[in-house]
Structure formats: structure tokens, C-alpha cells
């Protein structure tokens, strides 16, 4: 029999891994938590100005990132939002926040990965919408698949330029 050596790429199979009818192999679902510093915060940007915040997914809510984008979209001190996106939902709150930022005069640049397995149609849809409303959209490099999620918000506070960054290394 031929032996194939290589890397297994279909990680979705791990989500359907059999439980062998043994309750010791199952863990109770744990919903994501609020970050304690962001739970009742009026402004995520104000919290981040005072101290760095580390979010750990899936243990903490991704909503904090969406809330940060929404806040940046309406903050008059924000000049630009730059983001790298791999996979986008059809009804994406991230994309809606970016459109709001464009409407509010922010410079929005999106690097959109088109090779997002099963989500290419959504990525193209949102790319077209963003371009239609004035965002700069850059497509991923052919042959290079980028899974990282990167975000940089540029603000002017007084005479000082501030950068708020977010990095997520995997889906």
C-alpha cells in the first residue's frame, strides 16, 4: 500500500470527533466571557488608552472587537482603520462597522482574502460594497493564503498620533 505523508488540512473533522458514548470525553459548552475591564466600559478606546487589553478567543467575546470598530467609526479623533480579513459572514457586523466608518469620513483600508474556503462569495460581496462606498480594498496575494486577522486604528489625540492594534492568529 502506498504511504502518504503530509499535513491533514480539514480541521472541521475535529469538531465532529466521535464521543465514543463515553461522558468522560465530553465537556460542557462554555460560552465566551466578557473581558472584566470591558464588561461595563462606556468606551473601549478610553480603557485601551489607560492600559493594554489582551483578549483570548474563544474564551472571551469577539463582540469586544466589533464594539471597538463601532466606536472607532463614530469617534471624531479616529482618522483611519486598516484591517486584514480572511472570512466574512453574509450579515457581518464587522463589515457594517467598516461601512459606518467610511460614511463618517474615516479612511478605511481592507485587505480581503479571497481564498476563504466556502466564503468566497461573501468576501466578494463585501469587497464590492466597501469599494462602492469609498473604502480601499486590496485582495490577498495569489497563492498565499493569509489566516491572520489584523486591525489598526489611527487616532489623533491632541497633537499625538495613537495606534490601537488588534491581532488574531487563527480563525
Amino acid at each position: 500500500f502506498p504511504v502518504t505523508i503530509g499535513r491533514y488540512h480539514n480541521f472541521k473533522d475535529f469538531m465532529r470527533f466521535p464521543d465514543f458514548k463515553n461522558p468522560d470525553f465530553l465537556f460542557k459548552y462554555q460560552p465566551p466571557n466578557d473581558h472584566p475591564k470591558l464588561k461595563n466600559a462606556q468606551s473601549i478606546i478610553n480603557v485601551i488608552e489607560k492600559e493594554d487589553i489582551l483578549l483570548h478567543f474563544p474564551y472571551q467575546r469577539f463582540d469586544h472587537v466589533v464594539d471597538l470598530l463601532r466606536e472607532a467609526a463614530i469617534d471624531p479623533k479616529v482618522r483611519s482603520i486598516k484591517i486584514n480579513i480572511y472570512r466574512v459572514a453574509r450579515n457581518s457586523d464587522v463589515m457594517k462597522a467598516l461601512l459606518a466608518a467610511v460614511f463618517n469620513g474615516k479612511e478605511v483600508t481592507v485587505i480581503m482574502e479571497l481564498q476563504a474556503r466556502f466564503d468566497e462569495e461573501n468576501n466578494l460581496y463585501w469587497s464590492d460594497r466597501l469599494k462602492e462606498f469609498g473604502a480601499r480594498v486590496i485582495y490577498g496575494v495569489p497563492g498565499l493564503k493569509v489566516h491572520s486577522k489584523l486591525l489598526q486604528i489611527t487616532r489623533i489625540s491632541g497633537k499625538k498620533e495613537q495606534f490601537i492594534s488588534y491581532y488574531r492568529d487563527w480563525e
Side-chain angles (χ1 to χ4, degrees):
F1 296 103
V3 176
T4 303
I5 298 174
R7 194 168 164 198
Y8 185 70
H9 292 285
N10 197 355
F11 293 109
K12 288 182 181 179
D13 287 346
F14 294 142
M15 303 308 284
R16 295 185 304 266
F17 199 75
D19 64 11
F20 302 106
K21 305 299 180 217
N22 184 338
D24 293 334
F25 293 161
L26 299 176
F27 293 96
K28 181 181 168 195
Y29 171 74
Q30 296 291 321
N33 297 309
D34 284 309
H35 188 284
K37 301 278 183 172
L38 302 178
K39 185 174 184 177
N40 296 315
Q42 294 293 318
S43 167
I44 293 176
I45 291 174
N46 287 345
V47 173
I48 293 171
E49 281 184 316
K50 293 177 187 145
E51 63 183 300
D52 290 338
I53 298 293
L54 176 66
L55 297 173
H56 191 239
F57 303 107
Y59 305 108
Q60 289 168 321
R61 294 181 19 200
F62 184 73
D63 293 350
H64 295 310
V65 176
V66 176
D67 292 342
L68 174 62
L69 282 169
R70 287 178 178 148
E71 185 177 344
I74 62 172
D75 183 344
K77 294 179 181 178
V78 169
R79 298 291 176 244
S80 69
I81 300 173
K82 297 176 181 174
I83 190 167
N84 180 31
I85 295 184
Y86 170 66
R87 180 170 279 152
V88 182
R90 185 63 168 188
N91 189 21
S92 170
D93 290 334
V94 168
M95 292 294 113
K96 290 175 188 175
L98 293 173
L99 285 176
V102 172
F103 287 135
N104 288 317
K106 316 300 182 209
E107 176 189 315
V108 175
T109 303
V110 177
I111 298 176
M112 182 71 74
E113 178 61 58
L114 292 181
Q115 291 182 305
R117 193 179 330 185
F118 308 117
D119 287 319
E120 290 89 353
E121 186 177 333
N122 291 338
N123 287 15
L124 286 169
Y125 167 79
W126 282 111
S127 295
D128 290 343
R129 294 276 305 180
L130 287 164
K131 285 192 291 188
E132 180 182 327
F133 289 99
R136 181 174 180 217
V137 178
I138 302 167
Y139 296 111
V141 178
L144 179 65
K145 196 169 188 176
V146 178
H147 281 273
S148 295
K149 281 82 171 165
L150 303 169
L151 166 64
Q152 183 179 49
I153 298 168
T154 305
R155 287 178 90 233
I156 305 298
S157 183
K159 295 181 181 181
K160 187 170 85 170
E161 191 173 52
Q162 299 174 318
F163 297 100
I164 298 170
S165 300
Y166 161 79
Y167 166 75
R168 182 176 176 193
D169 69 344
W170 198 253
E171 296 178 52

